[in-house]
Amino acid sequence: MALTSLVIAEKDEAGRVLYTTVGTDVSAQKITSRTTKAPLGTRLFSEKPWQALRHSISAVFLPAGYPNTVTPDYVHYQIYNDVQEFCSSLSGLLASRGALEGFGVGDASASATQALLLTVLKDVCSRFTTIIGAYYFGTSLYPETKTFRFLADVINDTSIVLDTISPYLTTISLSTVSPYVPSGSTLQIIALCMSGAMRSLCGLVAGGSKAALTDHFASPVNSKGDVGELNAKSASRSTVVALTGVLLGTLIVPYITTRTSTYTALFVLVLGHLLANYLAVRSVVLRSLNRQRSAILWSTFRNSTRDGDAHRSITLTPTEVSHREIILDVPSRIRDALSTRVIGHGSLGVSVQYAMTRCNTSHVLRMLQHFHEEPYVLFIADRNGLWGRPGPGILVCFKEGYDSLDQLRAWLHALEIAATWSALPTSSPTASETENIVLETHETLRRQFSRFMQCLKEAGWNIEEDAMMMGSPGSVIMGQESSEKKKKKKNA
């Protein structure tokens, strides 16, 4: 029997179920009408005007397949990010007006040549900052994404403040205090150059950290989004938000003419910008491991297994860890999981030559012998810690052929040493006690590491992507041999 009609059920990229009747059979049309009302959450293709408008806006500004192709924290981050974009666009108008006045706009005694030379000087500072910043911060952006994303806006706001106050610096006269104090015009030039350098550094840091966040948002647990489309949609939203802020600012800025009103408006906008950015970064739930997140996870895991029952071990989820993270923190710091106090410091990827300057020669020799079979070597600095800081200073050297898992093991070993060290009755153990701590914690790590990694995987962590060490190590140990063998080879 030939078919006269069919009812086709389709699911679009947003997860909505749509029904289409192919044919003219009356019974099939009845089935279609009855079927489309049954499933919960389904939508007919013929929608109300406001629903069609909402879906059109979603298609323009949200990624295809939303919310299935992005992580759950995507929306919260984007809402706060749009708020901070709006505040930044408004404060940027005040900064632009201040920079123009600093270049001589409105000053009858200023010349176009002076403004040009000042622009060139500011551009030179910006370009040199980009080169130097890429060298020092390039390898740190991915491991410490949240820290540098927030830090970028702190730098940007500093640049905005310098641009805004630059016209008022010319009124400062401190020559009566000291002849070595710069004049007001010199302070203005310094402020404008520093502003350009900071704005350049902000673009560098924000661009790198934003790329890491975009890669995170496009990697939900059960699917994969399009990184390119996420960047395009983010640019569309930023354009609309920035344009709205600029249009609104053109109506408000002409009324902000006095110094008091300018500083008041700048304070409110900068405060709102930083608050929105902090909430945006705080809402991100990363599943990759870095030093701080692995420290929180390991401390919680070890505290739950002190009684010896490994089956009762507790492993925090990525959401729980995100609530405990400190946004602005030094990666080398080792903190206690409960009190968050600093209990030590660790440096990964140092050279043996550097370790020799911080540790006793006998200690270095014994550690090299003890870690002969390991892909890393761990040293404990002198009693005052690394660079005089509280707690043990732990230095880690890597051997040729190490991988990311070895970096994690070395960092966890450093965490265990710092925790054991902080529990001692004295903060200055002897050399033998220090070596015993290293040996005991090494054995503890050997017993617990496999179980810990399994718990991380069950809790939803991405153990394949970890970033304990920022960049490459300064040097890698290729081998070791006694001085006697080296002399025999040299004489042979």
Side-chain angles (χ1 to χ4, degrees), residues 88-89 91-100 103 122-123 125-127 129-130 151-166 191-207 266 273:
S88 180
S89 62
S91 59
L93 290 178
L94 297 175
S96 298
R97 185 178 67 179
L100 290 175
F103 288 143
K122 184 177 180 180
D123 186 61
C125 294
S126 300
R127 295 179 185 274
T129 303
T130 301
L151 186 62
D153 282 274
V154 174
I155 298 173
N156 180 67
D157 287 337
T158 305
S159 172
I160 289 175
V161 170
L162 290 175
D163 278 339
T164 306
I165 67 174
S166 61
L192 290 174
C193 292
M194 289 181 60
S195 170
M198 289 187 175
R199 197 177 297 274
S200 176
L201 182 61
C202 169
L204 172 70
V205 175
L266 183 65
H273 179 250

Side-chain angles (χ1 to χ4, degrees), residues 289-363:
L289 297 175
N290 67 351
R291 297 192 195 185
Q292 184 178 177
R293 287 189 285 274
S294 61
I296 296 173
L297 288 166
W298 177 255
S299 300
T300 307
F301 175 83
R302 288 287 294 124
N303 290 335
S304 63
T305 56
R306 296 293 181 185
D307 298 333
D309 187 2
H311 298 286
R312 298 178 58 187
S313 57
I314 299 175
T315 306
L316 301 178
T317 63
T319 303
E320 293 172 333
V321 171
S322 66
H323 297 323
R324 300 190 181 189
E325 283 185 274
I326 300 175
I327 300 301
L328 290 179
D329 194 18
V330 179
S332 61
R333 287 178 178 172
I334 302 175
R335 295 181 179 272
D336 180 74
L338 299 178
S339 63
T340 67
R341 66 184 179 90
V342 179
I343 59 176
H345 293 79
S347 296
L348 301 181
V350 303
S351 64
V352 177
Q353 185 178 7
Y354 176 79
M356 289 287 293
T357 63
R358 297 289 176 178
C359 308
N360 295 327
T361 304
S362 59
H363 174 74

Side-chain angles (χ1 to χ4, degrees), residues 77 81 84-85 130 133-134 137-138 140-142 144-153 155-156 198-216 227 231 234 277:
Y77 175 83
N81 187 60
Q84 66 98 5
E85 286 270 7
T130 301
F137 299 109
S140 308
L141 299 179
Y142 182 80
E144 307 298 332
T145 301
K146 300 172 74 171
T147 297
F148 281 98
R149 183 65 189 89
F150 181 69
L151 186 62
D153 282 274
I155 298 173
N156 180 67
M198 289 187 175
R199 197 177 297 274
S200 176
L201 182 61
C202 169
L204 172 70
V205 175
S209 57
K210 184 180 178 181
L213 287 176
T214 303
D215 185 65
H216 159 71
V227 175
N231 282 324
S234 178
N277 190 265

